[in-house]
Amino acid sequence: MADRGVSEVIGFVLIFSLITLSVGTVYVVGFGGLQDARDAEQLTNVERAFDVLADNIDDIATHDAPNRATEFRLYEADITVGEPTRFTVDVDNGTGTTSYSVNSYPIVYEAQTSPTTIRYVNGAVIRQDRNGERFIDEPSFVFRADAVGDTAIIPIIQTRSQGEQTVGGTGTVLVRTNSVLAESLGTHNDDGTTYDVEITVETTERRAGLWEEVLNRELDAAYGVTPCSTSGGTVTCSPFTVDRVYVTTTRIDVSIDS
């Protein structure tokens, strides 16, 4: 009888230990998986908000909307107007060069609990995380070759802020964008003249390769050239020739309201 009692106690201890180990394993692995799934869904929501932001700014830049407001949900994150990326376009008509150069201050969402950032700059949305960087929305440059010749359409969107702005934590914020100035910097029509166009993007060394890749891909698809190269944080696209080039700029003030 005593041996049977001892066996029952040992059996109970073993079963209890097995249950405790199983629960602990499920908690550690399962809870971590739930957190990862939650974080991924939150960032997906932020990407959708940046898609809306890009559409809203496009309404201002191309459809003459006076202003727009975009709602962002912060998930232990900061949203700020960051350090500028400089875009320069040089157009040579054979008798002289006209240069257009603008600083575009990105709207940046930066997670506090991970290395992920998402930013809007000049029509593009870029996500940066442990796996590198990629365009969620590509820049709105248009390079086209058709029966009437080669055309380059290069819009420059200058988002900017009055002073430093950062809102962090959790909750909802509004990113307000207001049109300040929209003008055509240069419209060169088909009058028998061709134009040599050079593009320069000054950004961080980490993002320069991303801009080089997208510009070379688009220029190659349109004109069969890959003129862009990177040195440090600067992308330079050596002159390529087109029949028509349109350069526009839109200046937009950005404010962040919590």
Side-chain angles (χ1 to χ4, degrees):
M1 294 292 293
D3 290 343
R4 181 179 298 173
V6 171
S7 298
E8 289 177 353
V9 170
I10 293 173
F12 174 80
V13 170
L14 290 174
I15 293 172
F16 182 78
S17 299
L18 182 61
I19 293 172
T20 302
L21 179 62
S22 299
V23 171
T25 301
V26 170
Y27 177 80
V28 172
V29 176
F31 187 70
L34 288 174
Q35 284 185 316
D36 290 343
R38 181 203 62 185
D39 292 345
E41 182 60 28
Q42 289 173 351
L43 289 171
T44 297
N45 291 338
V46 175
E47 288 186 10
R48 293 192 187 107
F50 269 96
D51 284 338
V52 174
L53 174 68
D55 288 342
N56 284 342
I57 293 178
D58 185 63
D59 285 343
I60 296 173
T62 63
H63 302 296
D64 299 323
N67 54 67
R68 286 289 186 265
T70 309
E71 184 177 273
F72 280 83
R73 180 65 184 268
L74 299 183
Y75 304 95
E76 297 184 53
D78 299 322
I79 192 163
T80 185
V81 179
E83 294 298 315
T85 295
R86 189 167 187 84
F87 296 89
T88 302
V89 180
D90 295 319
V91 178
D92 184 353
N93 65 358
T95 61
T97 300
T98 306
S99 183
Y100 315 110
S101 195
V102 169
N103 279 332
S104 185
Y105 292 79
I107 301 165
V108 183
Y109 179 100
E110 185 172 5
Q112 297 173 354
T113 57
S114 76
T116 300
T117 63
I118 302 173
R119 69 186 59 232
Y120 170 92
V121 59
N122 195 25
V125 178
I126 301 172
R127 174 167 172 165
Q128 173 184 315
D129 53 28
R130 292 186 182 91
N131 298 321
E133 296 190 325
R134 61 182 176 87
F135 283 112
I136 298 172
D137 291 326
E138 294 192 349
S140 51
F141 304 148
V142 176
F143 305 110
R144 183 176 65 240
D146 53 34
V148 297
D150 295 343
T151 301
I153 302 172
I154 306 173
I156 304 175
I157 299 173
Q158 183 187 18
T159 45
R160 64 179 194 172
S161 173
Q162 299 296 325
E164 295 184 4
Q165 292 191 69
T166 300
V167 176
T170 58
T172 301
V173 300
L174 281 180
V175 176
R176 302 186 185 274
T177 45
N178 299 281
S179 176
V180 177
L181 179 67
E183 62 181 356
S184 172
L185 294 180
T187 302
H188 304 271
N189 292 315
D190 187 7
D191 57 2
T193 302
T194 58
Y195 304 92
D196 290 334
V197 181
E198 182 176 352
I199 300 173
T200 304
V201 181
E202 298 173 67
T203 182
T204 64
E205 187 170 353
R206 182 167 184 174
R207 282 188 290 278
L210 198 64
W211 285 96
E212 177 194 359
E213 179 184 356
V214 70
L215 285 166
N216 271 335
R217 185 177 71 245
E218 295 299 318
L219 289 166
D220 187 31
Y223 314 133
V225 297
T226 53
C228 306
S229 60
T230 298
S231 177
T234 300
V235 181
T236 302
C237 299
S238 58
F240 55 93
T241 302
V242 295
D243 300 295
R244 293 171 304 281
V245 56
Y246 304 91
V247 182
T248 60
T249 184
T250 306
R251 187 180 303 162
I252 296 174
D253 277 347
V254 178
S255 61
I256 303 171
D257 299 333
S258 58

